[in-house]
Amino acid sequence: MDLLRIKTLKELRESGYKPRSVKEELRENLIKELKNKNTTMDGIIGYEDTVLPDLQTAILSQHNILLLGLRGQAKTRIARLMINLLDEYVPYIEGSELFEDPMNPISWFGHHILEIKGEETPIAWLHRSDRYTEKLATPDVTVADLIGDVDPIKAATLKLTYSDERVIHFGLIPRAHRGIFVINELPDLQARIQVALFNILQEKDIQIRGFKLRLALDIQFVFTANPEDYTNRGSIVTPLKDRIESQILTHYPRSIDISRKITQQEARLTDSQRTSIEADGLVKDLVEQIAFEARDSEYIDKKSGVSARLTISAYENLISNAERRMLLNDEKSTFVRISDFLGVIPAITGKIELVYEGELEGPSKVANILLGKAIKTLMVTYFPDPEKVKKAKTANPYADIINWFAAGNTISLVDDLKLEDYKKSLESVPGLKTVIKQFHPRLSENQKVLLMEFLLHGLAEFSLINKSFLDKGFSFADMFNSLFSAEFEDDEDEDYNDDQGRF
């Protein structure tokens, strides 16, 4: 790049360089992008008609930005991608810790070096990736961390008095001069620390232990916050919120398709997992449906939200569970089964905040309830609604399956079954394969077997057959026989306890 050959202020002036503020830079580069129908927000899915237009409007207005939304809504990723709107390189005074513009110095060092060297002032170049600073707000963050403090070691080394500006050690914000500065989880920042940001946002000056410095800091501020934090951990003080010009609301994916694209983009799978493990569209949709069910569940705190990271982790676990079975059975390839969803339970339990009713049930049980509801929701998109079938005058396509279980037959599907045993178990249920052929005749063999298992789970969710949880899988049996045997066992337990009590 020719610009990088420029090494002095004189050469920089002769090149025609004109200083721009970071907000002007973002604005002008965004205008070029919009005219050329390009996008720098690669990887942001589902915000094309909502969040991104609001973000572009804020940048065009040269506003500081607050991204407000629940966990796992790509707030930080959006902020990080904004660096793509910066110029690839900008010049600065070589040796300046604030990366000052050679034509617009703001510190003692910048003014001093220009006064001494003039047109021969040495120039260096800063890449846009180095113009991004991010700080996670925590209760232990201090004013010194963000803005700066007096450095007694520097004063002693340089033999300066404490009244000299050079004894100041600048914090993260001054060092983000001419760049993008992001504070994540702003409400977690103590109120007195938030107050320290007032003058920086409005007056461009900073105050450090009695110093009043008029540093014309040039920074694009981006803040992120979770609405939950307003009640749980803290809040954004009103005067600071008033100084943040644009507040943009983020949201979760609004459809299964969008959610699925995000998961497939973000899931970290090895090459061997991608080539040796087949994941049908059904299981991919089922993973996403779990998150949708969780966001509507009465057991889960809606104010806390259900992060998109839940589906990403769940999908990774799903693939890994199938891979584990493949390795144990010494198979070269496999496909994801419904029984593999037992492996996603740990990914769900760690990412949901339960309300009181959910705590009573327990996280693992709530996770299984969500899986069941997801299966029930998708069941009617693949097969006739069992409830409507009951009322219809036509023949019940599930009759043979239900009657087989009613005769006292059972089937167990554990997650480490070899493929031959898995198929044999499912094919032993009369009518199961017939239903699949009737409604999905053009599927591959693996897809047909997967749908056979899915149908059993679906019928169980509609209470037509019984499903019991095993240590490594599921067991299916007749609904009524299971109920009667469960009641009989309960009665026996009660009598036993009574006997023990009398004894």
Side-chain angles (χ1 to χ4, degrees), residues 91-350:
Y92 69 97
I93 300 172
E94 189 173 20
S96 170
E97 61 181 327
L98 302 185
F99 302 107
E100 298 162 77
D101 191 312
M103 296 185 184
N104 189 20
I106 63 171
S107 73
W108 180 92
F109 173 85
H111 289 293
H112 181 69
I113 199 78
L114 279 173
E115 185 179 336
I116 293 174
K117 298 194 176 182
E119 293 294 289
E120 296 304 314
T121 299
I123 302 299
W125 293 87
L126 186 66
H127 191 261
R128 60 185 167 210
S129 61
D130 297 319
R131 297 171 65 193
Y132 177 87
T133 306
E134 183 178 304
K135 179 63 178 174
L136 175 63
T138 55
D140 62 337
V141 172
T142 65
V143 173
D145 294 332
L146 294 181
I147 299 175
D149 203 351
V150 172
D151 186 348
I153 297 175
K154 185 184 289 187
T157 303
L158 300 176
K159 298 180 180 179
L160 301 171
T161 65
Y162 283 144
S163 62
D164 195 308
E165 177 187 328
R166 287 173 287 173
V167 304
I168 295 175
H169 174 78
F170 291 110
L172 287 172
I173 291 178
R175 291 174 185 274
H177 177 55
R178 302 180 71 203
I180 298 171
F181 186 78
V182 178
I183 297 183
N184 277 322
E185 310 301 341
L186 181 59
D188 284 351
L189 208 60
Q190 292 183 38
R192 64 183 181 85
I193 312 299
Q194 293 185 37
V195 169
L197 301 175
F198 288 1
N199 272 22
I200 295 177
L201 288 175
Q202 195 70 35
E203 307 297 337
K204 310 296 187 203
D205 65 2
I206 59 177
Q207 295 181 358
I208 301 173
R209 293 189 181 275
F211 287 94
K212 186 173 182 181
L213 303 176
R214 292 290 297 175
L215 289 179
L217 292 173
D218 177 23
I219 300 172
Q220 168 69 58
F221 282 96
V222 180
F223 305 95
T224 73
N226 188 325
E228 176 200 9
D229 297 338
Y230 286 107
T231 55
N232 284 6
R233 297 198 295 268
S235 63
I236 303 175
V237 296
T238 305
L240 176 59
K241 195 173 181 184
D242 181 59
R243 286 169 168 82
I244 304 172
E245 298 93 337
S246 285
Q247 175 177 290
I248 299 172
L249 301 178
T250 58
H251 56 81
Y252 286 121
R254 292 177 174 173
S255 72
I256 291 290
D257 288 340
I258 292 173
S259 184
R260 179 169 157 178
K261 287 177 183 177
I262 294 171
T263 300
Q264 296 305 308
Q265 173 184 276
E266 299 299 319
R268 294 168 298 179
L269 303 181
T270 65
D271 291 339
S272 63
Q273 286 177 326
R274 294 181 189 278
T275 55
S276 61
I277 301 167
E278 177 187 335
D280 188 69
L282 167 60
V283 297
K284 290 177 179 177
D285 286 348
L286 198 51
V287 169
E288 309 306 329
Q289 189 62 43
I290 290 172
F292 277 78
E293 298 294 343
R295 289 170 192 143
D296 291 332
S297 174
E298 67 274 19
Y299 297 121
I300 294 172
D301 186 0
K302 292 179 175 58
K303 292 180 181 178
S304 177
V306 178
S307 169
R309 286 182 281 271
L310 181 147
T311 55
I312 297 166
S313 298
Y315 185 70
E316 290 169 347
N317 272 13
L318 188 66
I319 297 297
S320 296
N321 198 78
E323 182 182 35
R324 175 182 170 277
R325 180 184 62 253
M326 179 184 73
L327 295 171
L328 289 174
N329 292 334
D330 197 24
E331 296 171 339
K332 293 184 178 179
S333 64
T334 189
F335 61 93
V336 177
R337 307 171 187 174
I338 305 300
S339 51
D340 287 320
F341 274 83
L342 286 175
V344 311
I345 303 300
I348 299 172
T349 54

Side-chain angles (χ1 to χ4, degrees), residues 75 382 472 493:
K75 299 186 293 294
Y382 283 83
K472 294 182 179 180
D493 290 341

Side-chain angles (χ1 to χ4, degrees), residues 379-380 384-391 398 458-459 462 464:
M379 169 73 174
V380 295
D385 187 336
E387 292 179 351
K388 293 181 179 178
V389 166
K390 287 180 183 178
K391 301 173 184 177
Y398 311 124
L459 293 175
F462 279 93
L464 297 178

Side-chain angles (χ1 to χ4, degrees), residues 432-443:
L432 192 56
K433 196 169 187 177
T434 305
V435 175
I436 305 304
K437 286 182 178 179
Q438 180 181 350
F439 296 104
H440 300 280
R442 298 181 180 178
L443 298 181

